[in-house]
Amino acid sequence: MVWCQTPVPLSCCSGGPLRDQIHREVQDYYGKELQKSEDLKTNACVTLARPLPKVVRDALERVHEEVVARYYGCGLVIPESLESCRILDLGSGSGRDCYLLSQLVGERGHVTGIDMTKDQVELAKKHISYHMDKFGYQKPNVEFLQGYIEKLSDAGLADKSYDIIISNCVINLAPDKRAVLREAYRVLKPGGEIYFSDVYASQRLSETIRKHRVLWGECLAGALYWEDLYSIAKEVGFKTPCLVSASPITIGCKELENIIGDCCFVSATFRLFKVPDSSQAGPSQVTYSGGIVGHERELVFDANFTFKKGEAVAVDAEMAAILQSSRFAKEFLVQASTATPQGCCCKGAKKKICNPFELLDQLAAPGPACCPGGTCGP
């Protein structure tokens, strides 16, 4: 049974004062109240155990134990094809994901972590020399900055300076999600990607939930209604979000359950791409080369598309543009096609899964399960 704290509501205020208070409350929660992952009161900020690729398992074993102990994340945010990439981690906390990615980008790549909590940034910085020695690097390929993910320019992050942005259960802690995604779009290079895990709600949250201090710290009070992610992402310039995975969130505190009521929460991973306006594509047949390390036989791109080596797959114009303009371009042969794209809403075609709660239902359904890409198995 998890320990349950008496609710302490945030004061009723709006605009800047409320935003500033939320920042202070979250900093106190992660800098002072939480000393280890076992102090969390829900599983919203706990990564569920899943089989990991060997290269990721090996990299994780080389991360300092204190860094791992002070890590609070709701997913595994390790995309594919990272060699020599420049990566930005929004809300890097103790630096666990940064140090993991440091090994995967190699000494020629670079990882920047930014977090608003001073204690977490100091902890991450403390172990830079330890990890560079452990990895055998001549000079650090990681840096940690203190700052707000809604104001990356204040931390000196330039336009079009990163190949990939990751974030692990942090965007929900930001009062202004639109500003976060706008800034992410700004600092990404054309063809770049934000690959992030976060918490989403089945409905828009009540004021009671949104002003609850503990629920903010537990990543629930700031959760977006999942449909709002799609509208905000497209508004700031990204292509339609690609849903990758979803995991259920449980609350082991009756007091918090009573406040939340019938609202449900899910941990979901999405990938968003900054596709240049000049990248034109129509419905296409794409064939994967098998050249991505760790994914030689097939690449599970998201919940809707799995690409097997040497096998042509029909995709819509948006997916074709993503593959042509991103770091995956060299791994795919893209050919114009008139065939019905996978995931198209045309009659008789398989509809894309966009709702993470729908994906959860499919994963929980008994009997043969449909895997990403539409291939079914026991």
Side-chain angles (χ1 to χ4, degrees):
M1 181 69 180
V2 296
W3 175 74
C4 184
Q5 177 174 321
T6 302
V8 181
L10 293 169
S11 61
C12 185
C13 49
S14 60
L18 178 58
R19 180 179 63 246
D20 294 342
Q21 184 176 355
I22 289 171
H23 282 151
R24 288 195 302 271
E25 298 282 7
V26 171
Q27 287 176 47
D28 286 345
Y29 201 74
Y30 283 86
K32 298 174 183 177
E33 292 193 27
L34 297 182
Q35 296 303 313
K36 54 187 183 303
S37 58
E38 288 78 5
D39 294 335
L40 292 162
K41 301 161 187 65
T42 73
N43 76 341
C45 297
V46 177
T47 305
L48 298 181
R50 290 197 182 112
L52 302 177
K54 185 177 186 303
V55 64
V56 175
R57 288 200 311 272
D58 292 345
L60 192 55
E61 286 178 0
R62 290 188 284 267
V63 178
H64 195 284
E65 59 183 14
E66 184 180 16
V67 169
V68 174
R70 291 289 299 275
Y71 155 81
Y72 316 108
C74 63
L76 182 68
V77 286
I78 309 296
E80 317 82 6
S81 197
L82 302 179
E83 183 67 30
S84 300
C85 284
R86 286 182 53 83
I87 299 180
L88 172 64
D89 183 357
L90 301 179
S92 51
S94 66
R96 192 207 76 159
D97 289 341
C98 288
Y99 286 125
L100 202 165
L101 290 163
S102 165
Q103 302 169 71
L104 302 181
V105 300
E107 203 164 2
R108 290 184 299 170
H110 188 271
V111 182
T112 301
I114 183 168
D115 198 281
M116 68 178 179
T117 306
K118 181 180 179 182
D119 292 350
Q120 289 283 71
V121 174
E122 288 179 349
L123 172 64
K125 285 182 174 179
K126 184 174 78 171
H127 296 293
I128 290 178
S129 294
Y130 168 88
H131 287 101
M132 296 306 105
D133 290 343
K134 190 86 169 176
F135 306 159
Y137 293 171
Q138 296 299 310
K139 62 179 182 178
N141 71 342
V142 295
E143 64 176 336
F144 296 98
L145 309 173
Q146 185 177 359
Y148 297 104
I149 62 177
E150 304 100 320
K151 300 177 180 180
L152 299 179
S153 57
D154 289 356
L157 303 187
D159 295 358
K160 303 176 183 178
S161 52
Y162 290 95
D163 301 292
I164 303 166
I165 296 174
I166 68 157
S167 180
N168 201 336
C169 203
V170 169
I171 294 176
N172 67 82
L173 297 173
D176 190 347
K177 276 76 168 172
R178 185 173 280 99
V180 175
L181 291 183
R182 189 184 301 119
E183 278 289 86
Y185 189 86
R186 179 183 67 80
V187 303
L188 275 176
K189 298 176 183 179
E193 171 188 16
I194 174 170
Y195 186 97
F196 65 111
S197 181
D198 216 78
V199 178
Y200 298 91
S202 59
Q203 60 195 48
R204 292 190 178 93
L205 302 179
S206 69
E207 285 296 302
T208 301
I209 295 175
R210 290 176 58 228
K211 288 184 169 65
H212 193 281
R213 177 178 175 275
V214 172
L215 289 176
W216 262 105
E218 292 287 324
C219 305
L220 300 180
L224 266 182
Y225 172 43
W226 71 270
E227 287 193 21
D228 289 343
L229 171 68
Y230 283 80
S231 59
I232 294 172
K234 296 185 82 171
E235 176 189 322
V236 302
F238 287 107
K239 289 298 184 183
T240 304
C242 302
L243 173 62
V244 177
S245 62
S247 302
I249 288 176
T250 57
I251 300 163
C253 174
K254 193 67 177 175
E255 199 167 8
L256 296 181
E257 288 176 350
N258 291 337
I259 295 169
I260 288 168
D262 62 355
C263 184
C264 297
F265 295 90
V266 63
S267 167
T269 299
F270 284 92
R271 56 197 325 165
L272 307 180
F273 287 86
K274 179 179 180 177
V275 175
D277 293 336
S278 59
S279 180
Q280 300 293 328
S284 302
Q285 291 275 347
V286 302
T287 307
Y288 172 50
S289 69
I292 298 177
V293 176
H295 306 271
E296 291 82 2
R297 296 181 62 185
E298 67 176 21
L299 173 65
V300 181
F301 192 82
D302 62 14
N304 294 290
F305 290 101
T306 291
F307 302 108
K308 297 180 183 295
K309 179 183 178 180
E311 191 173 290
V313 176
V315 300
D316 57 23
E318 198 163 57
M319 179 57 69
I322 287 172
L323 295 177
Q324 281 185 326
S325 64
S326 67
R327 67 188 186 282
F328 298 105
K330 63 182 182 297
E331 304 298 345
F332 283 88
L333 173 65
V334 180
Q335 298 174 303
S337 170
T338 57
T340 301
Q342 179 179 309
C344 175
C345 295
C346 302
K347 185 177 180 181
K350 175 178 171 285
K351 184 181 178 181
K352 278 185 179 177
I353 303 173
C354 300
N355 181 346
F357 293 93
E358 180 185 339
L359 179 58
L360 271 187
D361 289 342
Q362 289 198 12
L363 295 173
C370 281
C371 303
T375 56
C376 294

